[in-house]
């Protein structure tokens, strides 16, 4: 939520959805519980949200998927379903998928015209697509050059709307950003795609300086403009949002676990006896 608020404050983005994509069981991290449990906990955590959804695609694959392949999956899926352009951060779209310039005399074709006077917002458009696709960032270009009819999205009544550009960004903590600097840990070609084509939204962790981290990686320096660092103005720093801290609090019987997790997730963990040692 705080990352979305920050992106809105920049004036560059309208965030219309967020994806939570739990990693595959074969990722191999110590202490990683079954995806069955992780999917359920994530679903419980966002059940009251009207814009964040959990996507099981990554968990359901035959093996572990790279971060790059997960981003590409969601980009390709969104492109197929909406018919809209999903361009990368370096080459913003200037041409609609279907349409024509507003100053042309030819008439726009409609499958259904109910004399709707107001153009639908980006959120309304994506709402027609379905809940499973409601995790993207949308950038509205400053110039309203085109109106067009989307005939590819299978949305029922076809709508007339302004040109929009859809973008998927990776949201992560600065600890993940710092891992980009570890030699051999990430495939360099994947890093080029993740940072160069998609872009990253970074939440600072425990005093880590994202600017310092970026200066230690040639790829991060190269695409520095594609990395947005969330500035937190609240008294509750985002660095406390940590799955590691949550597990430790559970293992030690620390009542402050309520600072990290919502009650439905805590109840599920206790019922399923997850992360709790024999003395807990």
């Amino acid at each position: 939520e705080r990352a979305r608020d920050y992106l809105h404050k920049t004036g560059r983005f309208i965030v219309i959805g967020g994806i939570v994509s739990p990693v595959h069981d074969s990722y191999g991290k110590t202490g990683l519980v079954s995806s069955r449990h992780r999917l359920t906990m994530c679903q419980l955590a966002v059940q009251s949200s009207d814009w964040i959804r959990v996507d099981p695609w990554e968990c359901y694959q035959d093996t572990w998927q790279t971060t790059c392949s997960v981003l590409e999956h969601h980009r390709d899926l969104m492109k197929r379903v909406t018919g809209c352009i999903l361009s990368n951060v370096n080459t913003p779209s200037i041409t609609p998928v279907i349409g024509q310039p507003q100053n042309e005399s030819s008439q726009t074709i409609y499958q259904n015209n109910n004399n709707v006077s107001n153009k639908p917002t980006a959120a309304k458009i994506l709402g027609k697509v379905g809940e499973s696709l409601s995790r993207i960032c949308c950038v509205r270009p400053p110039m309203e050059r085109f109106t067009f009819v989307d005939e590819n999205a299978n949305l029922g009544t076809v709508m007339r709307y302004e040109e929009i550009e859809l973008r998927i960004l990776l949201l992560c903590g600065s600890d993940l950003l710092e891992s980009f600097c570890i030699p051999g840990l990430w495939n360099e070609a994947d890093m080029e795609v993740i940072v160069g084509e998609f872009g990253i939204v970074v939440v600072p962790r425990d005093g880590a300086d994202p600017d310092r981290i970026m200066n230690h990686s040639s790829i991060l320096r190269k695409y520095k403009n594609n990395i947005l660092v969330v500035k937190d103005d609240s008294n509750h720093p985002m660095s406390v949002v940590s799955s590691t801290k949550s597990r430790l609090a559970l293992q030690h019987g620390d009542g402050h676990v309520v600072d990290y997790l919502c009650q439905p997730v805590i109840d599920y963990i206790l019922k399923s006896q997850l992360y709790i040692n024999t003395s807990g």
Side-chain angles (χ1 to χ4, degrees), residues 100-264:
Q100 56 192 2
Q102 290 180 341
N103 59 4
E104 287 190 5
S105 59
S106 57
Q107 184 178 0
T108 306
I109 299 173
Y110 291 88
Q111 291 181 356
N112 189 324
N113 187 344
N114 294 321
N115 297 319
V116 178
S117 59
N118 295 324
K119 296 177 183 178
T121 64
K124 290 179 181 178
I125 294 168
L126 269 296
K128 295 284 187 178
V129 177
E131 289 187 352
S132 64
L133 296 174
S134 61
R135 296 79 152 184
I136 59 175
C137 289
C138 170
V139 180
R140 185 182 299 278
M143 296 181 62
E144 299 179 7
R145 292 182 296 265
F146 295 94
T147 59
F148 60 95
V149 174
D150 188 337
E151 297 174 335
N152 294 331
N154 191 27
L155 302 180
T157 301
V158 173
M159 297 179 293
R160 181 176 185 233
Y161 52 95
E162 298 168 348
E163 178 186 6
I164 61 173
E165 176 192 328
L166 305 181
R167 182 183 301 170
I168 294 175
L169 301 170
L170 174 65
L171 174 64
C172 69
S174 54
D175 49 344
L176 186 143
L177 187 71
E178 194 163 23
S179 72
F180 282 9
C181 302
I182 301 175
L185 183 63
W186 289 80
N187 179 289
E188 287 202 8
D190 282 2
M191 288 176 61
E192 286 273 354
V193 173
I194 292 170
V195 190
E197 294 188 14
F198 287 95
I200 303 179
V201 181
V202 181
V203 175
R205 297 276 197 183
D206 294 328
D209 183 0
D211 289 327
R212 177 189 59 80
I213 294 171
M214 285 185 268
N215 287 331
H216 280 77
S217 165
S218 59
I219 292 179
L220 296 182
R221 286 197 305 271
K222 179 180 178 181
Y223 297 110
K224 190 172 183 178
N225 290 337
N226 298 347
I227 302 172
L228 297 107
V229 180
V230 177
K231 304 294 192 300
D232 186 27
D233 298 327
S234 71
N235 294 324
H236 184 63
M238 287 180 293
S239 61
V240 305
V241 181
S242 165
S243 56
T244 301
K245 290 181 178 180
S246 301
R247 289 192 295 271
L248 289 173
L250 286 163
Q251 290 170 5
H252 298 147
D254 185 350
H256 287 95
V257 69
V258 297
D259 294 335
Y260 312 126
L261 303 175
C262 62
Q263 193 60 48

